[in-house]
Amino acid sequence: MVLFLLLGYLALAVFDQGQDILKTLSFNTESKLVWQTWFVYIAVSWWAWQSFRASRVILHFTYFNFWTYKPSYALRAQVFIPRLLATIPYFILAYAIYRSTGTLDAFVLLLISSGIWLFVFLHFRKSIIVRIRSWKSFMPALIPDYIPIKNGTYPARFIWSKQRRWFLFRIAMVIGLFTSIYLFPVRLPQYLGSSTIVLLGFGSWLILATVVSFIEKYLRFPVSFSILILVILFSFFNNNHAIRRIPETSVNRPNINEHFTAWALDRGADKDSTDFYLIMAEGGGLRSAYWTTSILAEFQAFDQNFADNIYAFSSVSGGSLGTVMFQSTEDHEELNHGNESADYLNSDLLAPITSALIFTDLTQKFVPFPVKQLDRARVLEKSFERTLPDKTQWQSGFLKEYGSVKSPVLMLNTTHVESGKRTVISNVDLNPLREQQVIDFFRVVQDDVPISTAIGASSRFPFITPPALVKHEDGSSWGNLVDGGYYENLGMQTMLDLYQELTSIAKQKHYKVRFKFIAIRNTKASRSERPMRGMVESLAPPITFSNIWSNNSNEVLQNGRKLIESNGDQLYLFSLQREDNENIPLGWYLSESARQKIDNQLDAMSDDVFIDILEK
C-alpha cells in the first residue's frame, strides 16, 4: 500500500505528464472534462477505500504489537493506520493538482475536505454499521458485519463467514473493470481519462493483493511467493509482444539507386538545379509528433510544392508519428484541410496504453502462454489508427501505401536489443547501408506490416511500451526492437548514411541536386550539471541514461553539419524552446495549454525563416 502511495505521488505530482493531465481537470470547463473530473474524484475515492479495506484485512491476519509491554498503544496504532492510509490518496491528488495549477480551486478543496470527512466517517464507522444493520431486516444481507481490530490474529474462516459478500462484490467489481477495458481498449480509457485509469488501477490491484493475502492465510500456503516464482518462469515463454504482420504480402522495394534516379529525373534534376529536402524528426511522444507536423505544415503553407520535394524522412518515436501523419494528409486530399495535419493529433493516446499496462497486459504476466489481444503495444497502435477519420487507413500495409518510387523515402528508426544496432523500417531497400551497421527491417520480416505497427515499432519507449518481438518466417525468434532513441534520438545518423549514398549517385549521374536538411528537435537541453550528492550508486545509472538519451543527438548533429556544409548543402534546425517552468510534457498526451504553448512558439517565428529556407 505504501508502494502504491509512492507511485501515485510520483505519477501525479512529480512527472510532467501527470501534472499536464491534472491541470485540465475542473468543474468550470467543457462538458467532457467536467465528467473526467468527476471520474477522477470517484476513482481516488475507490483507491482510498480499498487502501482502508486492504490494511484492515492485513491487520486481521497479523499479530501487530509495537511494544509488548504496552498493548493499548499497539491497538490504537492498528486502528489509526488504516484510517491514515485511506485519507492519503485524497491529499496526494490535492497536492498534485495544486502543484500543476498553482491555485486552490474547488476541486482541490473538495479533495481536502473529502479526506478529512473520510477520517471522521471511519472514526464513527462501528456505530454507523451497527445502526444501519439494525434499521431494516434486509440490511444485514447488504452491509458486512463489523470486525474489530484486536491484538492478535483472526482465523481466515472467521473473516470469510463475516464478510463473504463483501469479498465477492469487490472481486466482481475488478472482473467487470478488467473486462470492460479488454472489450473497449481505446474508447473507454479515453472517455475516463488517464488519471482515472491510474487511480482505478491502484484500487483494483489492492483488492487482488488482499484476496491473495486472504487465500494465503486460508490455505496456510505461501501463495504470493509461489505466484512470483511462476511469473518469472512464465516470462520465458509467454511474450505476447510480437509485431503484427500482413501475411503473404510482397516486400519488393526499389533500391536507393533506383528510387533516387526515378525521383531526380521526374523533377528534372538532370537539366536544372533542384532542391531536395531531407527531414529528421526527433523522438518525444505526442509533443514531438505535434511539433513535427506543425513545422512541416507551416512550410507547406508557404510553398504548395514543399511536400513534393521532400525526398526522405528519418524519424524516431513521436517524430515517426508526426512525419507519417504529415505524409498521410498530403497523400490523401480528403484529410488535407488547410495543411493542418497537427489537428489530427488531438487525441489522448496515453489513456489507452496506460489502461492496458495496468490492467490487461499486466494480467498476461500470470498466464503461461502468450495472448496477443492483451499486448499493450497493439492498443497504442489502435490509438494511432483512430487519430484519422478512417481508422482502416493506417491498418493498411506500410509497403502497400509507400512502396512506390513516387513516395518519399521513409526511414523509421528502431534499435535492435540484442546487438544495439539501428534497425530501420523503410520503403526502400537499405542494403547499401549495411556497412554502417544498419539492419534493414524488411530483410528480416519478409511480410508487410500495418502502418500503425511501423510507427509503433519506432515508438517503443522504455517501460510504457514493451520491446517488439520480431520472428522469422518459420516462427523462430529473431530478436526484439525498442525505441530508435536508444541509439540516436534524431535519426540524423541514418539520414547522413543515406546522404552519402545520394551524393555519390548524384555525382556519378551529374544530377544538379542541392540537399536541404531540416532537423526538427523538441528536447530541451539539460542545463543542470550539478554534482550528485546522495544515493550516488542507485541514482547514477538512471540519471546517466536519461542525460545520454536527451543529448545523444548533439554530437551527430554537429559532426553532420560539418559534412553537409563541406558539400555545399545546408542544415536548418528547428527546436522547441521552452522555459524551465513551461510544462510541455514528454508522453502520449498534450493538454490544451501545452498545445497552445507550441502554437504560440510557432506563431512567434518570423515568416522570413520559412521563406528564406524555401527560396535561398
Side-chain angles (χ1 to χ4, degrees), residues 443-497:
R443 282 183 169 262
V444 177
V445 181
Q446 293 295 317
D447 286 317
D448 200 357
V449 298
I451 296 173
S452 59
T453 297
I455 299 171
S458 180
S459 308
R460 299 286 178 137
F461 193 78
F463 304 115
I464 299 298
T465 43
L469 175 62
V470 179
K471 296 183 178 182
H472 293 291
E473 286 185 285
D474 60 3
S476 61
S477 177
W478 171 76
N480 295 273
L481 298 177
V482 291
D483 194 300
Y486 279 89
Y487 186 92
E488 191 261 302
N489 202 33
L490 181 58
M492 181 76 178
Q493 187 59 60
T494 302
M495 186 64 83
L496 289 175
D497 292 339

Short mmCIF file of all heavy atoms in Angstrom, two decimals, residues 443-497:
data_model
loop_
_atom_site.label_atom_id
_atom_site.label_comp_id
_atom_site.label_asym_id
_atom_site.label_seq_id
_atom_site.Cartn_x
_atom_site.Cartn_y
_atom_site.Cartn_z
N ARG A 443 14.23 -6.95 -44.54
CA ARG A 443 15.05 -8.10 -44.92
C ARG A 443 14.97 -9.20 -43.86
O ARG A 443 15.32 -10.34 -44.12
CB ARG A 443 16.51 -7.68 -45.12
CG ARG A 443 16.75 -6.99 -46.46
CD ARG A 443 18.21 -6.66 -46.68
NE ARG A 443 18.41 -6.25 -48.07
CZ ARG A 443 18.85 -7.03 -49.05
NH1 ARG A 443 19.12 -8.31 -48.78
NH2 ARG A 443 19.01 -6.58 -50.28
N VAL A 444 14.51 -8.83 -42.66
CA VAL A 444 14.29 -9.80 -41.59
C VAL A 444 12.84 -10.27 -41.62
O VAL A 444 12.56 -11.47 -41.60
CB VAL A 444 14.63 -9.18 -40.21
CG1 VAL A 444 14.32 -10.18 -39.10
CG2 VAL A 444 16.08 -8.74 -40.17
N VAL A 445 11.93 -9.31 -41.68
CA VAL A 445 10.49 -9.61 -41.69
C VAL A 445 10.04 -9.67 -43.15
O VAL A 445 9.85 -8.64 -43.78
CB VAL A 445 9.70 -8.53 -40.93
CG1 VAL A 445 8.21 -8.86 -40.92
CG2 VAL A 445 10.22 -8.40 -39.51
N GLN A 446 9.87 -10.81 -43.66
CA GLN A 446 9.53 -10.99 -45.07
C GLN A 446 8.02 -10.89 -45.29
O GLN A 446 7.44 -11.63 -46.08
CB GLN A 446 10.05 -12.34 -45.56
CG GLN A 446 11.56 -12.43 -45.61
CD GLN A 446 12.16 -11.47 -46.64
OE1 GLN A 446 11.67 -11.33 -47.75
NE2 GLN A 446 13.24 -10.81 -46.25
N ASP A 447 7.40 -9.96 -44.59
CA ASP A 447 5.99 -9.65 -44.76
C ASP A 447 5.81 -8.16 -44.55
O ASP A 447 6.59 -7.51 -43.84
CB ASP A 447 5.11 -10.40 -43.74
CG ASP A 447 4.97 -11.88 -44.05
OD1 ASP A 447 4.77 -12.20 -45.24
OD2 ASP A 447 5.07 -12.69 -43.12
N ASP A 448 4.77 -7.62 -45.16
CA ASP A 448 4.42 -6.24 -44.90
C ASP A 448 3.82 -6.14 -43.49
O ASP A 448 3.38 -7.14 -42.92
CB ASP A 448 3.42 -5.74 -45.95
CG ASP A 448 3.38 -4.23 -46.06
OD1 ASP A 448 4.07 -3.55 -45.28
OD2 ASP A 448 2.65 -3.73 -46.94
N VAL A 449 3.83 -4.94 -42.93
CA VAL A 449 3.24 -4.70 -41.61
C VAL A 449 2.32 -3.49 -41.72
O VAL A 449 2.50 -2.63 -42.59
CB VAL A 449 4.31 -4.43 -40.53
CG1 VAL A 449 5.22 -5.63 -40.37
CG2 VAL A 449 5.11 -3.17 -40.85
N PRO A 450 1.30 -3.39 -40.87
CA PRO A 450 0.43 -2.20 -40.89
C PRO A 450 1.22 -0.92 -40.64
O PRO A 450 2.25 -0.94 -39.95
CB PRO A 450 -0.57 -2.47 -39.78
CG PRO A 450 -0.57 -3.96 -39.61
CD PRO A 450 0.83 -4.40 -39.90
N ILE A 451 0.75 0.18 -41.16
CA ILE A 451 1.42 1.46 -40.95
C ILE A 451 1.50 1.77 -39.46
O ILE A 451 2.54 2.23 -38.97
CB ILE A 451 0.67 2.58 -41.70
CG1 ILE A 451 0.73 2.34 -43.21
CG2 ILE A 451 1.24 3.94 -41.36
CD1 ILE A 451 -0.12 3.30 -44.03
N SER A 452 0.41 1.52 -38.73
CA SER A 452 0.42 1.79 -37.29
C SER A 452 1.45 0.94 -36.57
O SER A 452 2.05 1.39 -35.58
CB SER A 452 -0.97 1.54 -36.70
OG SER A 452 -1.38 0.19 -36.91
N THR A 453 1.70 -0.27 -37.05
CA THR A 453 2.71 -1.13 -36.44
C THR A 453 4.10 -0.59 -36.69
O THR A 453 4.97 -0.63 -35.81
CB THR A 453 2.58 -2.56 -36.97
OG1 THR A 453 1.31 -3.10 -36.60
CG2 THR A 453 3.68 -3.46 -36.43
N ALA A 454 4.33 -0.08 -37.89
CA ALA A 454 5.64 0.51 -38.21
C ALA A 454 5.91 1.72 -37.31
O ALA A 454 7.01 1.88 -36.77
CB ALA A 454 5.68 0.93 -39.68
N ILE A 455 4.90 2.57 -37.13
CA ILE A 455 5.05 3.72 -36.23
C ILE A 455 5.29 3.23 -34.81
O ILE A 455 6.16 3.74 -34.09
CB ILE A 455 3.81 4.62 -36.29
CG1 ILE A 455 3.59 5.16 -37.69
CG2 ILE A 455 3.95 5.78 -35.30
CD1 ILE A 455 2.27 5.89 -37.87
N GLY A 456 4.50 2.24 -34.39
CA GLY A 456 4.62 1.73 -33.02
C GLY A 456 5.98 1.11 -32.74
O GLY A 456 6.51 1.26 -31.64
N ALA A 457 6.56 0.41 -33.72
CA ALA A 457 7.87 -0.22 -33.52
C ALA A 457 8.94 0.83 -33.29
O ALA A 457 9.92 0.60 -32.56
CB ALA A 457 8.22 -1.09 -34.71
N SER A 458 8.77 2.00 -33.91
CA SER A 458 9.73 3.09 -33.72
C SER A 458 9.50 3.83 -32.42
O SER A 458 10.33 4.65 -32.02
CB SER A 458 9.61 4.09 -34.89
OG SER A 458 10.51 5.15 -34.75
N SER A 459 8.40 3.52 -31.73
CA SER A 459 7.99 4.29 -30.54
C SER A 459 7.99 3.45 -29.27
O SER A 459 7.21 3.72 -28.35
CB SER A 459 6.58 4.87 -30.77
OG SER A 459 6.52 5.57 -31.98
N ARG A 460 8.82 2.43 -29.22
CA ARG A 460 8.82 1.54 -28.06
C ARG A 460 9.62 2.16 -26.92
O ARG A 460 10.73 1.76 -26.60
CB ARG A 460 9.40 0.17 -28.45
CG ARG A 460 8.62 -0.55 -29.54
CD ARG A 460 7.32 -1.10 -29.00
NE ARG A 460 6.53 -1.76 -30.03
CZ ARG A 460 5.90 -2.92 -29.86
NH1 ARG A 460 5.96 -3.53 -28.70
NH2 ARG A 460 5.18 -3.44 -30.83
N PHE A 461 9.01 3.18 -26.32
CA PHE A 461 9.65 3.92 -25.24
C PHE A 461 9.76 3.05 -24.00
O PHE A 461 8.88 2.23 -23.74
CB PHE A 461 8.84 5.19 -24.93
CG PHE A 461 9.56 6.18 -24.07
CD1 PHE A 461 10.54 7.00 -24.62
CD2 PHE A 461 9.28 6.30 -22.73
CE1 PHE A 461 11.21 7.92 -23.84
CE2 PHE A 461 9.95 7.22 -21.94
CZ PHE A 461 10.91 8.03 -22.49
N PRO A 462 10.85 3.20 -23.20
CA PRO A 462 11.08 2.30 -22.06
C PRO A 462 9.90 2.22 -21.10
O PRO A 462 9.31 3.24 -20.73
CB PRO A 462 12.29 2.93 -21.36
CG PRO A 462 12.98 3.73 -22.41
CD PRO A 462 11.91 4.21 -23.33
N PHE A 463 9.54 1.00 -20.73
CA PHE A 463 8.55 0.68 -19.70
C PHE A 463 7.11 0.97 -20.14
O PHE A 463 6.23 0.15 -19.93
CB PHE A 463 8.85 1.40 -18.39
CG PHE A 463 10.23 1.14 -17.86
CD1 PHE A 463 11.16 2.16 -17.77
CD2 PHE A 463 10.60 -0.14 -17.49
CE1 PHE A 463 12.44 1.91 -17.30
CE2 PHE A 463 11.88 -0.40 -17.02
CZ PHE A 463 12.79 0.63 -16.93
N ILE A 464 6.85 2.15 -20.73
CA ILE A 464 5.49 2.44 -21.16
C ILE A 464 5.07 1.45 -22.24
O ILE A 464 3.96 0.91 -22.21
CB ILE A 464 5.39 3.88 -21.69
CG1 ILE A 464 5.74 4.87 -20.58
CG2 ILE A 464 3.98 4.16 -22.21
CD1 ILE A 464 4.82 4.82 -19.39
N THR A 465 5.93 1.23 -23.20
CA THR A 465 5.67 0.25 -24.26
C THR A 465 6.71 -0.86 -24.18
O THR A 465 7.87 -0.59 -23.87
CB THR A 465 5.70 0.91 -25.65
OG1 THR A 465 6.81 1.81 -25.71
CG2 THR A 465 4.43 1.66 -25.93
N PRO A 466 6.34 -2.07 -24.50
CA PRO A 466 7.28 -3.19 -24.39
C PRO A 466 8.13 -3.32 -25.64
O PRO A 466 7.78 -2.78 -26.70
CB PRO A 466 6.34 -4.40 -24.25
CG PRO A 466 5.14 -4.01 -25.08
CD PRO A 466 4.98 -2.52 -24.89
N PRO A 467 9.25 -4.03 -25.57
CA PRO A 467 10.02 -4.32 -26.78
C PRO A 467 9.17 -5.11 -27.77
O PRO A 467 8.33 -5.93 -27.39
CB PRO A 467 11.20 -5.16 -26.26
CG PRO A 467 11.31 -4.81 -24.81
CD PRO A 467 9.91 -4.54 -24.35
N ALA A 468 9.39 -4.85 -29.05
CA ALA A 468 8.64 -5.54 -30.10
C ALA A 468 9.35 -6.84 -30.46
O ALA A 468 10.51 -6.83 -30.88
CB ALA A 468 8.52 -4.65 -31.34
N LEU A 469 8.66 -7.94 -30.30
CA LEU A 469 9.22 -9.25 -30.63
C LEU A 469 9.10 -9.47 -32.13
O LEU A 469 8.01 -9.37 -32.70
CB LEU A 469 8.48 -10.35 -29.87
CG LEU A 469 8.87 -11.79 -30.18
CD1 LEU A 469 10.33 -12.05 -29.86
CD2 LEU A 469 7.96 -12.76 -29.44
N VAL A 470 10.23 -9.75 -32.77
CA VAL A 470 10.27 -9.98 -34.22
C VAL A 470 10.65 -11.44 -34.46
O VAL A 470 11.62 -11.94 -33.89
CB VAL A 470 11.29 -9.05 -34.91
CG1 VAL A 470 11.33 -9.32 -36.41
CG2 VAL A 470 10.93 -7.59 -34.64
N LYS A 471 9.89 -12.10 -35.32
CA LYS A 471 10.12 -13.50 -35.62
C LYS A 471 10.46 -13.71 -37.09
O LYS A 471 10.07 -12.91 -37.95
CB LYS A 471 8.89 -14.34 -35.25
CG LYS A 471 8.56 -14.34 -33.77
CD LYS A 471 7.38 -15.25 -33.47
CE LYS A 471 7.07 -15.28 -31.97
NZ LYS A 471 5.95 -16.18 -31.66
N HIS A 472 11.20 -14.79 -37.36
CA HIS A 472 11.47 -15.20 -38.73
C HIS A 472 10.21 -15.82 -39.34
O HIS A 472 9.21 -16.04 -38.65
CB HIS A 472 12.61 -16.22 -38.77
CG HIS A 472 13.94 -15.64 -38.38
ND1 HIS A 472 14.62 -14.73 -39.15
CD2 HIS A 472 14.71 -15.85 -37.28
CE1 HIS A 472 15.76 -14.41 -38.57
NE2 HIS A 472 15.84 -15.07 -37.43
N GLU A 473 10.30 -16.11 -40.64
CA GLU A 473 9.16 -16.72 -41.33
C GLU A 473 8.78 -18.06 -40.73
O GLU A 473 7.60 -18.43 -40.72
CB GLU A 473 9.49 -16.90 -42.82
CG GLU A 473 9.49 -15.62 -43.62
CD GLU A 473 9.71 -15.88 -45.09
OE1 GLU A 473 10.87 -16.17 -45.48
OE2 GLU A 473 8.74 -15.81 -45.87
N ASP A 474 9.77 -18.79 -40.20
CA ASP A 474 9.47 -20.11 -39.64
C ASP A 474 8.95 -20.04 -38.21
O ASP A 474 8.71 -21.07 -37.57
CB ASP A 474 10.73 -20.99 -39.69
CG ASP A 474 11.89 -20.41 -38.90
OD1 ASP A 474 11.71 -19.35 -38.25
OD2 ASP A 474 12.98 -21.00 -38.93
N GLY A 475 8.76 -18.82 -37.68
CA GLY A 475 8.23 -18.66 -36.35
C GLY A 475 9.26 -18.56 -35.25
O GLY A 475 8.91 -18.27 -34.10
N SER A 476 10.52 -18.78 -35.58
CA SER A 476 11.57 -18.65 -34.57
C SER A 476 11.84 -17.18 -34.28
O SER A 476 11.65 -16.32 -35.13
CB SER A 476 12.85 -19.34 -35.05
OG SER A 476 13.33 -18.73 -36.25
N SER A 477 12.29 -16.91 -33.08
CA SER A 477 12.51 -15.53 -32.66
C SER A 477 13.81 -14.98 -33.24
O SER A 477 14.87 -15.62 -33.16
CB SER A 477 12.54 -15.44 -31.14
OG SER A 477 12.81 -14.13 -30.71
N TRP A 478 13.72 -13.79 -33.86
CA TRP A 478 14.92 -13.09 -34.35
C TRP A 478 15.49 -12.16 -33.30
O TRP A 478 16.70 -12.01 -33.17
CB TRP A 478 14.56 -12.30 -35.61
CG TRP A 478 15.66 -11.38 -36.08
CD1 TRP A 478 16.80 -11.72 -36.73
CD2 TRP A 478 15.72 -9.95 -35.91
NE1 TRP A 478 17.58 -10.61 -36.99
CE2 TRP A 478 16.93 -9.51 -36.49
CE3 TRP A 478 14.88 -9.02 -35.32
CZ2 TRP A 478 17.31 -8.16 -36.50
CZ3 TRP A 478 15.24 -7.68 -35.33
CH2 TRP A 478 16.45 -7.27 -35.92
N GLY A 479 14.63 -11.51 -32.55
CA GLY A 479 15.09 -10.57 -31.54
C GLY A 479 14.00 -9.57 -31.19
O GLY A 479 12.83 -9.74 -31.55
N ASN A 480 14.40 -8.53 -30.51
CA ASN A 480 13.46 -7.52 -30.03
C ASN A 480 13.89 -6.12 -30.46
O ASN A 480 15.09 -5.83 -30.55
CB ASN A 480 13.36 -7.57 -28.51
CG ASN A 480 12.78 -8.87 -27.99
OD1 ASN A 480 11.57 -9.04 -27.88
ND2 ASN A 480 13.65 -9.83 -27.70
N LEU A 481 12.91 -5.28 -30.71
CA LEU A 481 13.16 -3.90 -31.12
C LEU A 481 12.61 -2.94 -30.06
O LEU A 481 11.54 -3.16 -29.52
CB LEU A 481 12.51 -3.60 -32.47
CG LEU A 481 12.99 -4.40 -33.67
CD1 LEU A 481 12.17 -4.03 -34.90
CD2 LEU A 481 14.47 -4.17 -33.92
N VAL A 482 13.37 -1.88 -29.83
CA VAL A 482 12.91 -0.82 -28.94
C VAL A 482 13.04 0.52 -29.66
O VAL A 482 13.47 0.59 -30.81
CB VAL A 482 13.72 -0.80 -27.62
CG1 VAL A 482 13.40 -2.02 -26.78
CG2 VAL A 482 15.22 -0.72 -27.89
N ASP A 483 12.68 1.55 -28.97
CA ASP A 483 12.70 2.92 -29.49
C ASP A 483 14.03 3.26 -30.17
O ASP A 483 15.10 2.92 -29.66
CB ASP A 483 12.46 3.87 -28.31
CG ASP A 483 12.13 5.27 -28.74
OD1 ASP A 483 12.95 5.89 -29.43
OD2 ASP A 483 11.05 5.77 -28.37
N GLY A 484 13.96 3.94 -31.32
CA GLY A 484 15.18 4.34 -32.01
C GLY A 484 16.03 5.30 -31.22
O GLY A 484 17.22 5.46 -31.49
N GLY A 485 15.43 5.96 -30.21
CA GLY A 485 16.17 6.91 -29.40
C GLY A 485 17.22 6.28 -28.52
O GLY A 485 18.11 6.98 -28.03
N TYR A 486 17.15 4.98 -28.29
CA TYR A 486 18.21 4.31 -27.55
C TYR A 486 19.55 4.51 -28.26
O TYR A 486 20.59 4.66 -27.62
CB TYR A 486 17.93 2.81 -27.45
CG TYR A 486 16.96 2.41 -26.38
CD1 TYR A 486 15.59 2.35 -26.63
CD2 TYR A 486 17.40 2.06 -25.11
CE1 TYR A 486 14.69 1.96 -25.65
CE2 TYR A 486 16.52 1.66 -24.12
CZ TYR A 486 15.16 1.62 -24.41
OH TYR A 486 14.29 1.23 -23.44
N TYR A 487 19.51 4.48 -29.58
CA TYR A 487 20.75 4.64 -30.36
C TYR A 487 21.03 6.10 -30.63
O TYR A 487 22.11 6.61 -30.32
CB TYR A 487 20.64 3.87 -31.69
CG TYR A 487 21.92 3.85 -32.48
CD1 TYR A 487 22.83 2.82 -32.32
CD2 TYR A 487 22.24 4.87 -33.38
CE1 TYR A 487 24.02 2.80 -33.03
CE2 TYR A 487 23.42 4.87 -34.09
CZ TYR A 487 24.31 3.83 -33.92
OH TYR A 487 25.49 3.83 -34.62
N GLU A 488 20.05 6.80 -31.21
CA GLU A 488 20.23 8.22 -31.53
C GLU A 488 18.86 8.80 -31.80
O GLU A 488 18.15 8.34 -32.69
CB GLU A 488 21.17 8.37 -32.73
CG GLU A 488 21.61 9.79 -32.98
CD GLU A 488 20.80 10.45 -34.08
OE1 GLU A 488 20.79 9.92 -35.20
OE2 GLU A 488 20.15 11.48 -33.78
N ASN A 489 18.47 9.82 -31.04
CA ASN A 489 17.07 10.22 -30.94
C ASN A 489 16.59 11.15 -32.04
O ASN A 489 15.41 11.48 -32.07
CB ASN A 489 16.82 10.88 -29.57
CG ASN A 489 15.37 10.84 -29.17
OD1 ASN A 489 14.64 9.90 -29.49
ND2 ASN A 489 14.92 11.86 -28.46
N LEU A 490 17.46 11.55 -32.95
CA LEU A 490 17.04 12.46 -34.02
C LEU A 490 16.91 11.75 -35.37
O LEU A 490 16.22 12.25 -36.26
CB LEU A 490 18.04 13.62 -34.13
CG LEU A 490 17.78 14.69 -35.17
CD1 LEU A 490 16.43 15.36 -34.95
CD2 LEU A 490 18.89 15.74 -35.16
N GLY A 491 17.52 10.58 -35.52
CA GLY A 491 17.54 9.92 -36.82
C GLY A 491 18.53 10.56 -37.77
O GLY A 491 18.53 10.28 -38.97
N MET A 492 19.41 11.39 -37.22
CA MET A 492 20.39 12.11 -38.04
C MET A 492 21.42 11.17 -38.65
O MET A 492 21.79 11.30 -39.83
CB MET A 492 21.09 13.16 -37.17
CG MET A 492 22.12 14.00 -37.88
SD MET A 492 21.34 15.25 -38.92
CE MET A 492 22.77 16.10 -39.59
N GLN A 493 21.88 10.22 -37.86
CA GLN A 493 22.92 9.33 -38.37
C GLN A 493 22.42 8.50 -39.55
O GLN A 493 23.13 8.31 -40.54
CB GLN A 493 23.41 8.39 -37.26
CG GLN A 493 24.61 7.54 -37.66
CD GLN A 493 25.80 8.36 -38.06
OE1 GLN A 493 26.31 9.16 -37.27
NE2 GLN A 493 26.26 8.21 -39.29
N THR A 494 21.20 8.03 -39.47
CA THR A 494 20.63 7.27 -40.59
C THR A 494 20.50 8.14 -41.83
O THR A 494 20.78 7.69 -42.95
CB THR A 494 19.25 6.70 -40.19
OG1 THR A 494 19.39 5.87 -39.04
CG2 THR A 494 18.65 5.88 -41.32
N MET A 495 20.09 9.39 -41.64
CA MET A 495 19.97 10.30 -42.78
C MET A 495 21.33 10.60 -43.38
O MET A 495 21.47 10.70 -44.62
CB MET A 495 19.28 11.59 -42.35
CG MET A 495 18.97 12.53 -43.51
SD MET A 495 17.79 11.82 -44.69
CE MET A 495 16.24 12.21 -43.88
N LEU A 496 22.36 10.76 -42.55
CA LEU A 496 23.70 11.01 -43.07
C LEU A 496 24.21 9.82 -43.87
O LEU A 496 24.88 9.98 -44.91
CB LEU A 496 24.66 11.32 -41.92
CG LEU A 496 24.48 12.68 -41.22
CD1 LEU A 496 25.41 12.78 -40.02
CD2 LEU A 496 24.72 13.81 -42.19
N ASP A 497 23.91 8.61 -43.41
CA ASP A 497 24.31 7.42 -44.16
C ASP A 497 23.64 7.40 -45.52
O ASP A 497 24.26 7.08 -46.54
CB ASP A 497 23.95 6.16 -43.37
CG ASP A 497 24.77 6.01 -42.10
OD1 ASP A 497 25.86 6.61 -42.02
OD2 ASP A 497 24.31 5.30 -41.18
#
